[in-house]
């Protein structure tokens, strides 16, 4: 049976379409295009058993909203992990990337094995009107390939952020995108729960002008710090990942 929330949301989107199109044009005009942070996207850090880390995603995975990778998800995550493991990390992310883009990249990336794969996707799928059914199929294909082609022992899928809290977005566009992001997130959670090697990471943090970047759309340092801390706790709680059984290639 269809979810009543989804039915109401679709109806509201249809009724509000003229307003939403106008607001989308307005948002594009006032959007501040921030650069991607500087710093290495591949390397090795830390001491202890080897841990191969792959991060895939969009501008949030890149770290847009901060100046250097040390402040972004990659830098803060590897800082947490470095006292416990020798982390060989690879970040492959591009501003504006959708899940379909990442699936195309997989054909060109160095194959694993990787111990942990972190994904950060969904916002651009929402803003670019990818259907929920297509997105589910693409996320399923992504998880399958990370497990089989890249040998990921654990996949940490990042939940979609609460887009209804993004300062850049006016109402009702903010409400509509927030509802759609919540729909995607519920289905992502169901996909993750069905896979023993997958874990969902959520950030228990309200988003506003104090912790978002100046563009009102991307995380600021505090959000990246909270996100990285949650992922690090998931990885460090899984002792099998740090048992040193798999050596670096």
């Amino acid at each position: 049976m269809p979810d009543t929330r989804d039915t109401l949301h679709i109806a509201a989107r249809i009724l509000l379409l003229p307003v939403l199109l106008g607001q989308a044009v307005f948002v594009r005009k006032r959007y501040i295009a921030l650069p991607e942070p500087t710093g290495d996207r591949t390397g090795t850090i830390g001491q202890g058993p080897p841990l191969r880390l792959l991060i895939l995603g969009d501008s949030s995975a890149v770290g847009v909203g901060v100046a250097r990778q040390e402040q972004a998800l990659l830098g803060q995550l590897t800082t947490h992990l470095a006292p416990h493991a020798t982390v060989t990390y690879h970040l492959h992310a591009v501003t504006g990337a959708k899940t379909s883009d990442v699936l195309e990249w997989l054909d060109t990336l160095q194959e694993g094995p990787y111990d942990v794969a972190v994904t950060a996707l969904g916002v651009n799928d929402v803003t670019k009107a990818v259907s929920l059914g297509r997105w589910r199929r693409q996320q399923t294909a992504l998880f399958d390939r990370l497990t089989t082609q890249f040998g990921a022992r654990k996949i940490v899928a990042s939940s979609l952020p609460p887009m209804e809290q993004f300062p850049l977005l006016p109402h009702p566009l903010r409400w509509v995108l927030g509802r759609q992001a919540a729909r995607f997130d519920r289905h992502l959670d169901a996909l993750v729960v069905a896979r023993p090697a997958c874990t969902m990471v959520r950030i228990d943090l309200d988003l506003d002008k104090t912790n978002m970047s100046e563009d009102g759309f991307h995380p600021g340092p505090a959000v990246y710090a909270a996100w990285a801390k949650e992922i690090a706790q998931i990885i460090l709680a899984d002792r099998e990942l740090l048992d040193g059984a798999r050596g670096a290639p």
Side-chain angles (χ1 to χ4, degrees), residues 6 10 29 39 56 67 70 77 91-92 112-113 145 149 165 171 175 182 200 208 210 217 240:
D6 292 347
I10 293 170
K29 287 183 177 180
L56 296 170
E70 289 86 348
L77 176 56
L91 167 64
H92 298 281
R145 292 184 64 183
Q149 181 179 345
Q165 297 178 11
H171 286 295
W175 176 82
M200 190 94 147
D208 54 36
T210 65
F217 194 83
E240 292 185 2

Side-chain angles (χ1 to χ4, degrees), residues 49-78:
L51 183 74
R52 284 179 54 85
L53 171 68
L54 174 66
I55 300 178
L56 296 170
D58 54 25
S59 55
S60 64
V62 173
V64 171
V66 296
R68 304 183 309 278
Q69 283 295 339
E70 289 86 348
Q71 302 168 292
L73 175 64
L74 171 65
Q76 300 212 45
L77 176 56
T78 53

Side-chain angles (χ1 to χ4, degrees), residues 89-112:
Y89 57 88
H90 299 265
L91 167 64
H92 298 281
V94 174
T95 298
K98 305 186 301 298
T99 306
S100 60
D101 298 316
V102 175
L103 286 170
E104 292 180 2
W105 302 345
L106 296 186
D107 294 327
T108 62
L109 297 186
Q110 176 183 348
E111 296 190 7

Side-chain angles (χ1 to χ4, degrees), residues 133-147:
R134 176 176 295 181
W135 189 72
R136 278 179 56 94
R137 292 191 295 273
Q138 292 170 346
Q139 285 286 315
T140 299
L142 177 60
F143 293 160
D144 286 344
R145 292 184 64 183
L146 287 174
T147 301

Side-chain angles (χ1 to χ4, degrees), residues 161-167 169 171 173-179 181-182:
M163 296 184 69
E164 71 277 6
Q165 297 178 11
F166 283 12
L169 303 176
H171 286 295
L173 180 62
R174 181 188 293 194
W175 176 82
V176 169
L177 293 180
R179 293 292 297 180

